[in-house]
Amino acid sequence: MAPYIGTATSRVDGIAKVTGAARYAAEHNTPGLLFGSVVGSTITKGRITRIDRGAALRVNGVIDVLTHEHRPQMADSDEAYRDEVAPDGSPFRPLYDDKIRFSGQPVALVVAETSETARSAASLVRVDYEREAHLTDVYRQRGTAAPVPSGGMFGPPKSRGNAEQALAAAAVRQEGEYYVPIEHHNPMELYGSTAIVEADGKLTVYDKTQGVQNVHKYLCGIFGMQPKEVRVMSPFMGGGFGSGLRPQFEVVLAVLAARALRRSVRVVLTRPQMYALGYRPAMIQHIALGANAGGTLEAITHDAITVTSQYEDFYRQETGWSGLLYKCPNARYAHKLARLDLPTSCDMRAPSAATAVYALEAAMDELAVALKLDPLDLRLRCYSDRDQNDDRSFSSKALRECYKQGAAAFGWEKRSPQPRSQRDDSELVGWGMATGIWEALQAPIAVRIVLSANGHAEVSCATSDIGTGTYTVMAQVAADVLGLPLDNISIKLGDSSLPQSPVEGGSWIATSVANAISTTADAVRDELLRLAKQVPHSPLADAAPDEVLLADGKLVSKRDATGAVAIADAMRQGGRDRVEQERTANPTLDESRAHNTHAAIFAEVKVDEELGVIRVTRVVSAVAAGRILNTKTGSSQILGGVVWGIGMALHEETLLDHKLGRIVNANYAEYHVPSNADVQDIKVIFVDEPDDSNRLGMKGLGEIGIVGVAAAIANAVYHATGKRVRDLPITLDKLRR
Ligand code: MOS
């Protein structure tokens, strides 16, 4: 068995991170660096009639003020601005024209010798506007929301049976409308970009992004640059969660200024300005469940409205999770999009599932109450061994085992069914549970391995490590497949000049890159074997490639361990000091089967009824996600997801003043995320789930951790209090209403 895969290996980049040696996008310095400060629109919709740059330009140390009227050439076609993950529509173009599409839209960039000067002078830029009426309230746009096209990657799946009829005929019906507000990603690291003009005139751009090659292609498109003229780097990232899948405006502004002034420029957004990037779309959903008295589902209808901008149609497959998760012969899905005067919404950790499964799992809890069944018992009665949306089996599905192990670790069997029946001193105690589901995806990706005669290997790929542990799992896989100690592996990533990678998202990178490392290591082995065969009296003279593996710095015959040739000897024989191979690995998923990860989440809350305060005192998350490469970074992924689920259930909400169309809590003081005091006992369990969909049996872990957590907590709040709050977050005012 492989020595590193599956172990709790500490982050290989951990020391660099805690000592500050790891530098982030806004930490790269160069002589003569200038600083840009963004001026954001104070209106929500309309046009700029005049920009007075005079006062800002007169400030000592200010170099220039860029606006749509005063800037270098940019592309004119939508195509040029359409990045690799852009939705349909006409992408936003920073400082392009006089139109205002959302509050906080960048309208000018003040460039100065210091960041303080730039920021101060930015307050002196005078912008006159012509206002138009705006709409930012999804509830007011309900009537005009338009259906999204069904099918495809993101449209609702095909409905089955006759859900309305089955619902009408069902013995027990449960209907409800659930709401999840707009939420923002709030990564610790601010969005920033340092565009360095090199001596030869080329640009090196350190940008905060989940996809360096996506940003690279985008910059080439909008500035008409040749690929060789610019290199985009993002070796470290302080949290992305989806907000860095698409290029953000800071990188456009930094490059625009660097090109205008032929000097290196850094642009860093402020925390409030981060709220002018994307967000998790608000979602109004109506779910109806019909069941027979025995507790099996007869019908599901799921109607969703999500929000997007006026210029792009961002949506995900929101509704189909409902009919995928539980056995149900009749299912109908509908999804409409409300266009608001906001920036385009975007992916945020487990996009669509985090919100849709919240509603489904809260509705299932309500159905369990109506049926007088234990919530876990109901899930087991409705358990589905097939993906009914596409009528296929799962490559693996150990959800039953998640329920079993999670319930045992939590002590679920001791739950008293009646709401308000469990107490701890003066507090009400509630126990709730929910199911989580996500996809196990793969994407084409390339890896280069350079193996030196001294037994050191450099493994490179343009992927990011958004904090998930990509460096570490890449090193673990490479060490195992090359048969080398972990310390002999160095990983290079986050550089657009490295072998091709998609954006890091969708929980697809670890699986994809691990496959590519294995595939490329095979090519390294094959080349080494060719060399080893030429060694005089080679014990591997007749060995076929698949009869040989790399172990302890040697090529070893699988049939006869004494038949080995040292890598160094093989290379010496061929007059080489290294072997270099690059391969692209394509997805290996068999589309005749469904590929999903699952989780069972059990939560305990304690509610002080006098004050309305809710505390999440215990969470157990049991996860089935195929082979877990690293139990330490893997657990961290799930812990982070659970913490965010606590935020989603109880704290997080982007609040708009609809009269102004502005976000009023664009800061850490008023946009509440869980703090240490909100996070208590969280236990992560990985259940065994053998899967043969790819070489290592992996599924990916980045997103499954959040799905279902908010529902488990909401259900626990109901169990504690007898009060069902369907609108997230469950704040004390709603509980006491
Ligand atoms: Mo993820 S929301 O695909 O970064």
Side-chain angles (χ1 to χ4, degrees):
M1 185 56 203
Y4 294 108
I5 291 172
T7 63
T9 302
S10 292
R11 286 174 191 268
V12 297
D13 52 336
I15 290 172
K17 281 186 169 172
V18 298
T19 57
R23 280 192 291 161
Y24 292 77
E27 296 181 322
H28 292 270
N29 289 315
T30 187
L33 181 67
L34 299 176
F35 299 83
S37 181
V38 176
V39 179
S41 166
T42 54
I43 70 160
T44 297
K45 188 177 189 178
R47 51 180 288 270
I48 301 164
T49 51
R50 182 169 159 273
I51 300 187
D52 182 353
R53 307 184 305 145
L57 284 170
R58 282 191 293 277
V59 173
N60 217 343
V62 169
I63 307 292
D64 204 351
V65 177
L66 302 179
T67 69
H68 68 282
E69 296 164 327
H70 181 86
R71 58 154 173 85
Q73 185 72 29
M74 295 168 84
D76 287 316
S77 74
D78 279 341
E79 203 42 53
Y81 294 82
R82 202 163 284 138
D83 69 277
E84 138 188 348
V85 285
D88 285 348
S90 174
F92 175 63
R93 306 169 180 191
L95 300 196
Y96 182 78
D97 58 20
D98 62 352
K99 282 200 182 54
I100 299 299
R101 293 163 176 82
F102 54 88
S103 175
Q105 172 183 325
V107 294
L109 184 78
V110 176
V111 186
E113 301 283 358
T114 70
S115 64
E116 292 82 358
T117 308
R119 196 156 166 186
S120 167
S123 69
L124 302 176
V125 176
R126 172 80 200 269
V127 186
D128 295 330
Y129 301 97
E130 194 176 281
R131 287 168 195 267
E132 287 171 42
H134 61 256
L135 263 169
T136 54
D137 184 352
V138 60
Y139 281 104
R140 290 193 54 191
Q141 285 295 72
R142 280 184 93 134
T144 58
V148 307
S150 53
M153 234 204 328
F154 301 125
K158 218 165 64 225
S159 299
R160 60 178 177 268
N162 187 332
E164 313 295 346
Q165 213 171 64
L167 197 58
V172 179
R173 273 185 299 279
Q174 174 57 50
E175 282 192 54
E177 186 175 292
Y178 302 84
Y179 180 64
V180 182
I182 288 178
E183 296 165 357
H184 275 78
H185 306 73
N186 282 298
M188 289 289 280
E189 184 195 7
L190 297 170
Y191 271 82
S193 201
T194 307
I196 296 174
V197 181
E198 306 286 1
D200 59 4
K202 291 179 184 166
L203 280 178
T204 304
V205 181
Y206 291 91
D207 184 39
K208 174 173 179 171
T209 175
Q210 293 174 239
V212 283
Q213 289 179 333
N214 191 26
V215 171
H216 180 259
K217 186 163 174 287
Y218 174 80
L219 291 176
C220 288
I222 64 182
F223 293 111
M225 294 185 285
Q226 293 304 309
K228 277 195 156 48
E229 291 178 81
V230 57
R231 181 176 176 194
V232 179
M233 310 279 286
S234 181
F236 297 101
M237 194 178 185
F241 317 115
S243 61
L245 291 170
R246 303 187 66 188
Q248 298 290 9
F249 58 72
E250 84 288 341
V251 73
V252 178
L253 299 181
V255 171
L256 192 70
R259 286 172 65 84
L261 304 169
R262 300 194 191 290
R263 288 189 58 181
S264 302
V265 178
R266 174 185 300 155
V267 174
V268 185
L269 303 188
T270 62
R271 181 61 57 181
Q273 287 171 348
M274 300 267 285
Y275 286 74
L277 307 175
Y279 50 89
R280 193 194 289 286
M283 187 167 176
I284 302 172
Q285 10 187 3
H286 187 96
I287 290 193
L289 303 174
N292 62 33
T296 55
L297 283 167
E298 293 296 330
I300 295 176
T301 64
H302 194 155
D303 293 85
I305 300 176
T306 59
V307 307
T308 188
S309 64
Q310 300 281 5
Y311 50 90
E312 281 174 315
D313 285 352
F314 175 87
Y315 58 93
R316 292 292 179 243
Q317 200 269 74
E318 317 276 350
T319 54
W321 301 104
S322 296
L324 173 65
L325 200 46
Y326 297 116
K327 193 156 66 188
C328 183
N330 303 285
R332 182 191 55 70
Y333 314 110
H335 183 179
K336 290 178 178 173
L337 207 47
R339 296 188 171 83
L340 301 177
D341 295 302
L342 293 172
T344 306
S345 49
C346 73
D347 288 308
M348 185 196 279
R349 204 172 200 169
S352 79
T355 43
V357 174
Y358 154 66
L360 173 69
E361 287 298 280
M364 285 293 280
D365 198 68
E366 296 190 51
L367 181 64
V369 172
L371 286 163
K372 298 189 170 53
L373 282 176
D374 178 87
L376 175 54
D377 185 21
L378 175 64
R379 266 91 174 170
L380 291 168
R381 286 169 199 241
C382 299
Y383 198 89
S384 179
D385 288 306
R386 283 184 82 72
D387 161 5
Q388 304 153 93
N389 283 337
D390 291 306
D391 191 26
R392 53 188 180 171
S393 60
F394 290 95
S395 66
S396 57
K397 180 175 174 178
L399 175 58
R400 240 185 253 283
E401 199 53 33
C402 295
Y403 288 137
K404 201 173 142 194
Q405 291 187 29
F410 187 83
W412 183 258
E413 81 284 353
K414 293 196 280 290
R415 180 178 185 266
S416 122
Q418 211 43 42
R420 305 182 63 85
S421 62
Q422 290 183 209
R423 281 186 174 271
D424 175 8
D425 213 351
S426 65
E427 289 178 308
L428 291 164
V429 176
W431 289 3
M433 59 85 54
T435 314
I437 180 168
W438 186 245
E439 297 173 281
L441 300 165
Q442 283 180 245
I445 193 165
V447 159
R448 180 162 58 233
I449 295 176
V450 180
L451 175 63
S452 303
N454 65 6
H456 183 99
E458 184 181 272
V459 179
S460 55
C461 172
T463 181
S464 309
D465 181 344
I466 61 177
T468 42
T470 312
Y471 277 106
T472 310
V473 296
M474 284 178 71
Q476 288 175 270
V477 172
D480 280 359
V481 296
L482 296 170
L484 297 172
L486 193 71
D487 288 345
N488 286 25
I489 309 293
S490 55
I491 302 295
K492 276 171 55 179
L493 52 72
D495 174 346
S496 62
S497 67
L498 295 175
Q500 180 274 328
S501 171
V503 294
E504 178 164 45
S507 302
W508 58 56
I509 284 293
T511 309
S512 306
V513 80
N515 254 2
I517 292 170
S518 302
T519 303
T520 311
D522 284 350
V524 168
R525 176 204 59 197
D526 293 354
E527 186 173 351
L528 284 171
L529 181 60
R530 278 194 295 278
L531 300 174
K533 282 175 188 290
Q534 291 154 23
V535 171
H537 313 294
S538 174
L540 300 175
D542 300 321
D546 61 359
E547 293 169 347
V548 171
L549 53 80
L550 291 164
D552 303 323
K554 289 183 281 226
L555 280 152
V556 185
S557 164
K558 289 185 198 168
R559 285 183 310 194
D560 169 15
T562 60
V565 174
I567 290 171
D569 291 341
M571 287 199 199
R572 193 175 314 116
Q573 178 64 32
R576 312 272 289 276
D577 62 355
R578 54 194 222 157
V579 162
E580 176 173 339
Q581 290 289 343
E582 180 176 330
R583 290 288 184 281
T584 299
N586 286 311
T588 55
L589 302 175
D590 157 15
E591 293 302 325
S592 70
R593 300 187 298 175
H595 302 274
N596 291 90
T597 52
H598 293 88
I601 305 101
F602 297 84
E604 176 184 88
V605 300
K606 293 191 177 168
V607 180
D608 180 328
E609 248 197 327
E610 307 272 291
L611 298 171
V613 171
I614 306 164
R615 293 181 302 127
V616 180
T617 44
R618 283 196 302 139
V619 177
V620 173
S621 176
V623 176
R627 165 91 66 92
I628 307 304
L629 277 192
N630 184 326
T631 49
K632 189 173 184 179
T633 55
S635 289
S636 291
Q637 284 300 295
I638 305 303
L639 288 175
V642 170
V643 170
W644 206 343
I646 294 172
M648 186 176 175
L650 303 180
H651 308 296
E652 293 196 45
E653 177 169 26
T654 300
L655 294 162
L656 282 135
D657 178 335
H658 295 304
K659 207 168 156 194
L660 298 171
R662 279 178 85 87
I663 295 167
V664 295
N665 62 340
N667 57 70
Y668 271 172
E670 290 157 303
Y671 183 102
H672 294 168
V673 296
S675 66
N676 283 341
D678 299 308
V679 179
Q680 301 193 21
D681 182 13
I682 302 172
K683 183 178 172 62
V684 177
I685 297 169
F686 289 121
V687 311
D688 201 33
E689 190 181 57
D691 192 286
D692 62 3
S693 305
N694 50 66
R695 291 178 59 158
L696 295 172
M698 295 172 59
K699 287 189 169 183
L701 272 180
E703 289 165 294
I704 182 64
I706 192 174
V707 187
V709 178
I713 293 167
N715 297 343
V717 170
Y718 169 78
H719 182 240
T721 62
K723 182 149 178 110
R724 184 71 66 176
V725 178
R726 291 170 174 160
D727 292 3
L728 296 184
I730 305 174
T731 46
L732 93 188
D733 56 314
K734 292 178 192 166
L735 204 57
R736 296 193 48 100
R737 200 175 286 157

